[in-house]
């Protein structure tokens, strides 16, 4: 019940998973490969702060019970990978100010960190992707699907620093 499907198309399914303190999920399955991005780590210490924005890849076809043993909530934006939305660019296109944090045959995950007032000029991604705000003016956990057909985009931090994770299915 704490896993809410918030978006689906032919390429991804986006699930917002929120676990209150001391919560144990029901036994459930994940059929598709997925990337879970940590929004709230369940703890308020240096280790917890380091987990914010972490993107972990899992092969589909598993079942499990997830537990939040902490006294603070945990939240993940989970992107299930259904297929690639191929654009005009190449798969390994280098994007300015994008740090590749995970790269395999199913997905490329990049992180963009910008100081307040900084921006990235107009650029093009090689395919469709989900952007997830980890920190910034928009609320943490705000996500958006960007289709390959959208073309070029710019990123602006605004008055606050911006930290975004981008999940691009292959």
């Amino acid at each position: 019940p704490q896993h809410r499907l918030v978006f689906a198309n032919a390429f991804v399914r986006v699930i917002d998973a929120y676990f209150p303190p001391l919560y144990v999920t029901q036994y459930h399955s994940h059929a598709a490969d997925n990337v879970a991005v940590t929004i709230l780590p369940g703890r308020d210490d240096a280790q917890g702060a380091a987990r914010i924005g972490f993107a972990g890849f899992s092969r589909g076809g598993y079942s499990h019970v997830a537990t939040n043993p902490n006294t603070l909530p945990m939240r993940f934006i989970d992107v299930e990978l259904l297929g690639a939305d191929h654009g005009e660019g190449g798969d390994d296109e280098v994007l300015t100010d994008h740090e590749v944090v995970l790269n395999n045959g199913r997905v490329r995950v990049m992180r963009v960190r910008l100081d307040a007032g900084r921006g990235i000029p107009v650029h093009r991604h090689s395919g469709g992707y989900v952007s997830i705000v980890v920190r910034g003016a928009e609320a943490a956990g705000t996500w958006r699907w960007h289709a390959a057909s959208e073309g070029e985009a710019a990123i602006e931090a605004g008055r606050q620093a911006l930290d975004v994770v981008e999940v691009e299915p292959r």
Side-chain angles (χ1 to χ4, degrees):
Q2 298 298 333
H3 292 67
R4 285 182 328 142
L5 177 65
V6 293
F7 178 77
N9 66 14
F11 311 108
V12 297
R13 285 175 21 119
V14 179
I15 297 167
D16 192 336
Y18 178 84
F19 304 151
L22 308 174
Y23 181 78
V24 178
T25 69
Q26 295 176 2
Y27 187 75
H28 62 283
S29 299
H30 294 266
D33 294 351
N34 60 81
V35 174
V37 178
T38 303
I39 305 301
L40 295 173
R43 21 187 328 169
D44 191 17
D45 59 9
Q47 263 187 331
R51 297 283 305 168
I52 295 171
F54 175 79
F57 173 79
S58 297
R59 282 261 173 231
Y62 66 95
S63 299
H64 71 140
V65 170
T67 303
N68 178 4
N70 304 301
T71 57
L72 295 173
M74 295 173 74
R75 183 177 176 208
F76 305 91
I77 301 297
D78 189 51
V79 179
E80 291 185 339
L81 311 170
L82 305 179
D85 179 17
H86 294 293
E88 297 174 14
D91 274 349
D92 292 322
E93 184 176 352
V94 176
L95 298 170
T96 304
D97 292 313
H98 288 66
E99 173 193 4
V100 177
V101 294
L102 177 69
N103 194 9
N104 63 33
R106 291 289 292 130
V107 67
R108 177 169 68 163
V109 178
M110 295 171 283
R111 193 142 177 197
V112 177
R113 296 178 182 149
L114 299 173
D115 293 330
R118 266 200 73 229
I120 296 175
V122 172
H123 61 281
R124 179 180 294 279
H125 282 255
S126 60
Y129 64 99
V130 176
S131 64
I132 303 162
V133 174
V134 177
R135 293 183 182 99
E138 290 186 78
T142 300
W143 59 269
R144 181 171 175 251
W145 167 253
H146 305 264
S149 60
E150 284 182 24
E152 299 178 340
I155 301 175
E156 298 292 331
R159 298 173 130 174
Q160 296 180 19
L162 179 65
D163 191 350
V164 175
V165 174
E166 299 176 340
V167 179
E168 183 180 290
R170 292 184 179 248

